[in-house]
Amino acid sequence: YDDVSITQLIADGVLQNNKTTIGTDWTITSSDSGTTFSIEVSGLSKDDCDYFAIKKADWAQKKLINGSTSGTCNGSSNKVKFVVQ
């Protein structure tokens, strides 16, 4: 997964732009070893965060809610991160 990023996906024509339709920001980051990449959406409302917290994501090996595998959603600025191998 070397060079997986929003910038690269835009350059490859996979994405039109870096705007998110949910939350306030998002990132795609590959690990230094290139064996994993993560997709993180931040600025999520509690309701949107709750949706991702209960939604099964078979394609991701790990899901972090506010930085923890046992995290909970609160307030109006939550983060959800999916890690893919």
Side-chain angles (χ1 to χ4, degrees), residues 8-84:
Q8 187 60 47
L9 292 173
I10 292 169
D12 291 343
V14 176
L15 298 173
Q16 290 181 346
N17 57 52
N18 65 349
K19 294 181 175 40
T20 178
T21 58
I22 188 169
T24 58
D25 192 31
W26 69 301
T27 59
I28 300 174
T29 308
S30 59
S31 66
D32 290 339
S33 65
T35 58
T36 65
F37 71 92
S38 64
I39 301 168
E40 182 175 274
V41 182
S42 58
L44 292 169
S45 69
K46 183 177 183 322
D47 288 344
D48 289 339
C49 181
D50 284 339
Y51 171 81
F52 286 115
I54 62 172
K55 181 76 173 166
K56 191 167 180 137
D58 292 332
W59 51 271
Q61 283 64 52
K62 188 188 301 185
K63 178 172 49 175
L64 303 170
I65 307 295
N66 291 321
S68 171
T69 55
S70 60
T72 58
C73 303
N74 51 49
S76 62
S77 187
N78 296 281
K79 289 183 182 179
V80 176
K81 181 185 241 181
F82 299 95
V83 179
V84 180

